[in-house]
Amino acid sequence: MDYIHGYKDKALKMFDEMIVDNVPPNSVIYASVLKSCITLKTLPKGRKLHMEIAEEGYDSDFSVASALVDMYAKLGLMSEAQDIFDSLPNRDLVLWNTLLLGYAEFGPDNKVLHCFTQIQLDGLFPDVITLACIVRACGNLKSIIIGQKIHIQILLAGYENDRFIASGCYEYNWHGINKRYVIASVRILVLGAFVAGSRDLSFNLQGYMVVLLSNLQGKTSGLNSFGLRDVMV
């Protein structure tokens, strides 16, 4: 970590030397230096760079604007990140996820769900990062219904074993979710999948519920008979 910080600090010093030598930076250099500001958590330098970027007209460059959104989001200034994000005519999933990660970390959680709705309206398909952020926000907001729907999307996409998803699911499972309510709701999905002939999905959902119950009980094994009976078809 010290090596990385030293490298990023050197990058900032080299950038300052470029300015002194009247060497004009381009979009690639601006984006790289902004990443150094993130690593070093140097917000004043980042704000100064933002002003220079705007003066030089690079704030409309997608790579530079994305780096600015990333910097403000990772440093917790979500209002600034949102303003720059909104100024861009086109937003890809990577940029959406950058904003989502910021809201998932610093809040408010309802903005995560709002962003998720907008992502779908833009015709984009959520990936592992998107879904993990949504699950975490659902846990914080105790939004059981949306959380269940997202869990099903995770299963259908085959993301249930992803470490990033697992972290989000942990947050979701430990924020007051009612175990009996979750079991009853997912059991309906299990039965529906079984009746429809999708045995693989039915079994996957059963396995998912076993894991969920384990997390809710704070165990990795030894589920009580009530939980297993209600999950199994």
Side-chain angles (χ1 to χ4, degrees):
M1 184 61 68
D2 290 338
Y3 171 79
I4 295 175
H5 276 250
Y7 175 79
K8 296 297 183 181
D9 186 58
K10 184 176 181 180
L12 289 179
K13 290 179 180 179
M14 290 179 65
F15 177 80
D16 291 337
E17 291 173 2
M18 285 180 58
I19 300 302
V20 171
D21 292 341
N22 293 317
V23 178
N26 56 24
S27 59
V28 176
I29 292 174
Y30 275 127
S32 298
V33 175
L34 286 170
K35 290 180 181 179
S36 296
C37 292
I38 296 172
T39 303
L40 298 172
K41 294 181 171 58
T42 56
L43 181 59
K45 180 65 174 181
R47 286 190 182 279
K48 182 180 179 181
L49 278 171
H50 187 182
M51 293 178 60
E52 294 176 9
I53 287 167
E55 290 174 358
E56 296 297 327
Y58 281 107
D59 52 340
S60 60
D61 181 273
F62 185 79
S63 62
V64 176
S66 297
L68 282 168
V69 173
D70 191 31
M71 180 189 72
Y72 283 125
K74 286 181 177 174
L75 296 181
L77 279 76
M78 295 310 302
S79 178
E80 285 85 343
Q82 185 72 63
D83 288 343
I84 298 169
F85 180 90
D86 291 339
S87 71
L88 296 172
N90 300 305
R91 289 80 64 100
D92 60 12
L93 186 61
V94 174
L95 188 58
W96 271 111
N97 283 344
T98 299
L99 198 65
L100 274 176
L101 286 166
Y103 282 125
E105 180 67 24
F106 300 103
D109 291 296
N110 65 312
K111 291 290 289 185
V112 177
L113 301 185
H114 174 74
C115 287
F116 182 58
T117 300
Q118 293 301 312
I119 287 172
Q120 294 175 306
L121 291 175
D122 281 359
L124 299 173
F125 295 95
D127 62 6
V128 170
I129 295 174
T130 314
L131 294 173
C133 290
I134 304 303
V135 169
R136 179 176 178 178
C138 287
N140 291 337
L141 294 169
K142 298 182 176 61
S143 181
I144 299 173
I145 301 300
I146 298 176
Q148 289 173 7
K149 292 178 180 179
I150 298 303
H151 272 124
I152 301 307
Q153 287 193 40
I154 290 169
L155 286 169
L156 292 174
Y159 292 148
E160 64 270 21
N161 294 321
D162 184 89
R163 294 178 64 183
F164 199 63
I165 286 288
S167 175
C169 288
Y170 179 84
E171 294 288 336
Y172 173 73
N173 294 339
W174 280 98
H175 279 80
I177 304 303
N178 185 286
K179 183 176 69 176
R180 290 176 180 268
Y181 185 86
V182 174
I183 291 171
S185 299
V186 179
R187 186 167 186 264
I188 294 172
L189 294 169
V190 173
L191 288 168
F194 191 80
V195 171
S198 181
R199 292 177 62 88
D200 288 342
L201 176 57
S202 176
F203 292 146
N204 284 341
L205 286 168
Q206 291 177 29
Y208 158 72
M209 283 306 302
V210 170
V211 174
L212 178 56
L213 282 170
S214 297
N215 289 337
L216 286 171
Q217 293 176 340
K219 304 175 182 178
T220 57
S221 61
L223 292 176
N224 59 35
S225 58
F226 161 78
L228 289 176
R229 281 201 306 270
D230 272 14
V231 171
M232 297 305 177
V233 175

